Amino acid sequence: MTTKNDPNRHKKPWPTKAAMEQVYNMSLWGNNNARFYSGDGSHNPELVNPYLEAVTLFLNSFENPITVADLGCGDFNVGKHLIKHTKKYVAIDIVPDLITHNQEQFQADNLEFHCLDLAKDALPEADCALIRQVLQHVSNAEVQSILNKLSAYKYVIITEHIPKGEFEANIDIISGQGIRLKKHSGIDLLKPPFNLVVQEDTELLSIPLENDKGMIITTLYRMF
């Protein structure tokens, strides 16, 4: 309940949940004859296979398997390949029907699915968080809210679609299907207004796209 003195009383709720539900209900990221389809970025082997190779190499670099939180798991076409390389894999998405679908389609002893809003809800504990092409779809306010929680993870692996060459980082958008690329912008967490503080950052993967459609960059951040 809000009061007259509540400074947030005039702010509209973030539209992310409704926007993402619309994406899947209207197949805005493509169909592929599937009820839930997270788009070419989650299914094109030229994008998915190098990512899986890089993340698997990282996960297997530990003597003992680590725990992973997949923050924005989508249709789980990518995450399903990583489960076996972890001690525990917790997959999160904001769309309830999608999570129910994933629970029915994917089972493993070390796998859990939860329906959570990354910006609003408490996130699961883990050694490493994966955030794959998620932040590019949400407003700066939501990005910041998510970043405020990432210090709980020792490692964070973030994948973003950015323009090639020089660009103005972090132009704000309304959460939804589109990304900042239309504004010749992209997420750079180390630049304003985010200025994410990390101990170390390492580029794991850079995939140039054809027809001037930018780059898919995957970066490993060590938080502490």
Side-chain angles (χ1 to χ4, degrees):
M1 184 176 73
T2 60
T3 67
K4 289 192 296 184
N5 295 322
D6 185 348
N8 296 315
R9 67 187 184 280
H10 297 305
K11 293 183 180 179
K12 295 180 179 179
W14 287 325
T16 308
K17 181 173 181 291
M20 292 302 108
E21 287 177 329
Q22 183 183 54
V23 163
Y24 288 109
N25 289 338
M26 299 180 66
S27 299
L28 297 180
W29 288 338
N31 189 328
N32 199 34
N33 298 315
R35 167 66 181 89
F36 295 99
Y37 183 69
S38 292
D40 194 53
S42 294
H43 288 265
N44 183 342
E46 293 182 1
L47 302 178
V48 172
N49 291 345
Y51 175 84
L52 289 173
E53 182 179 349
V55 175
T56 298
L57 184 65
F58 168 75
L59 294 175
N60 289 341
S61 69
F62 296 91
E63 183 175 350
N64 298 309
I66 64 173
T67 55
V68 168
D70 186 342
L71 305 181
C73 66
D75 63 14
F76 211 55
N77 189 60
V78 176
K80 67 184 181 183
H81 298 286
L82 299 173
I83 305 166
K84 62 185 177 182
H85 302 290
T86 70
K87 179 180 180 181
K88 182 179 181 180
Y89 198 102
V90 184
I92 304 300
D93 209 279
I94 198 172
V95 178
D97 289 348
L98 173 61
I99 288 297
T100 299
H101 172 80
N102 286 348
Q103 289 170 330
E104 294 170 351
Q105 295 296 314
F106 307 101
Q107 290 95 31
D109 290 340
N110 63 332
L111 173 63
E112 295 180 7
F113 288 99
H114 297 283
C115 186
L116 297 173
D117 184 326
L118 302 183
K120 296 180 181 178
D121 297 326
L123 302 181
E125 295 181 359
D127 300 307
C128 176
L130 306 179
I131 310 179
R132 187 172 186 273
Q133 292 181 253
V134 172
L135 302 181
Q136 63 194 38
H137 287 288
V138 301
S139 68
N140 282 3
E142 286 173 277
V143 172
Q144 186 62 65
S145 181
I146 295 167
L147 295 185
N148 291 343
K149 307 172 190 182
L150 295 188
S151 59
Y153 302 102
K154 184 170 185 178
Y155 304 101
V156 179
I157 298 177
I158 294 180
T159 303
E160 286 293 312
H161 189 171
I162 65 172
K164 291 180 181 177
E166 296 294 323
F167 63 92
E168 182 178 351
N170 308 324
I171 292 178
D172 203 3
I173 61 169
I174 297 173
S175 301
Q177 173 196 8
I179 64 175
R180 290 165 176 79
L181 202 67
K182 295 178 180 179
K183 299 185 177 184
H184 197 68
S185 182
I187 292 288
D188 186 335
L189 298 177
L190 303 184
K191 292 183 178 180
F194 306 123
N195 301 309
L196 182 66
V197 177
V198 302
Q199 294 299 311
E200 186 178 3
D201 62 284
T202 304
E203 184 178 291
L204 297 183
L205 187 63
S206 174
I207 303 177
L209 303 181
E210 295 179 352
N211 301 321
D212 247 356
K213 292 186 177 179
M215 312 275 294
I216 306 292
I217 305 293
T218 297
T219 306
L220 166 65
Y221 298 99
R222 183 169 64 82
M223 306 303 290
F224 57 86

